[in-house]
Amino acid sequence: VQLQASGGGLVQAGGSLRLSCAAAGPTFSNYDMGWFRQTPGKEREFVAGLSWSGVSTAYADSVKGRFTISGDNTKKRVYLQMNSLKPEDTAVYYCSFGDLMGQIKESQYWGQGTLVTVSS
């Protein structure tokens, strides 16, 4: 299974970007879908999650009200709409499929990462 993420780029503070992620390969069980991000020297952090049913979402406090996750588990696609971007949102963003809605996140598959750079 391969996850292909896209949509990153350079944007000014206050701007918007939409990240996309598509899974390709053998079919697999229904997993939660989500996004994480990582900056140099820091651990990868959870950003947003969408339950496999599509009913529930979860967000890191730092992005609540600005980011929106959506997706379609039947098509194995997940999106992250990022609005009101801030310089501190600059990171490599990774999509993931796994058990992501509990307190402990267990990713089964990772995308290759897409760089988001927010200039001040």
Side-chain angles (χ1 to χ4, degrees):
V1 174
Q2 292 186 334
L3 304 186
Q4 183 69 39
S6 61
L10 174 63
V11 64
Q12 288 188 333
S16 299
L17 282 174
R18 185 175 187 248
L19 306 183
S20 301
C21 177
T27 57
F28 52 88
S29 301
N30 288 330
Y31 283 121
D32 303 326
M33 302 178 287
W35 291 90
F36 293 71
R37 67 187 181 187
Q38 188 171 24
T39 54
K42 293 188 177 181
E43 290 189 359
R44 194 170 296 187
E45 65 172 356
F46 173 79
V47 175
L50 177 66
S51 64
W52 67 268
S53 64
V55 172
S56 301
T57 58
Y59 296 93
D61 287 343
S62 58
V63 307
K64 279 181 182 176
R66 301 187 298 121
F67 291 10
T68 303
I69 189 170
S70 61
D72 185 338
N73 210 316
T74 60
K75 297 180 179 179
K76 300 295 187 279
R77 293 180 181 271
V78 62
Y79 309 96
L80 186 67
Q81 177 66 42
M82 304 185 295
N83 298 329
S84 302
L85 282 161
K86 304 175 181 180
E88 51 263 43
D89 295 318
T90 295
V92 176
Y93 284 71
Y94 298 89
C95 59
S96 176
F97 283 51
D99 296 317
L100 306 179
M101 298 301 286
Q103 197 162 5
I104 298 176
K105 319 301 184 190
E106 296 184 1
S107 293
Q108 299 296 320
Y109 303 105
W110 288 102
Q112 85 286 7
T114 184
L115 177 62
V116 172
T117 304
V118 184
S119 63
S120 57

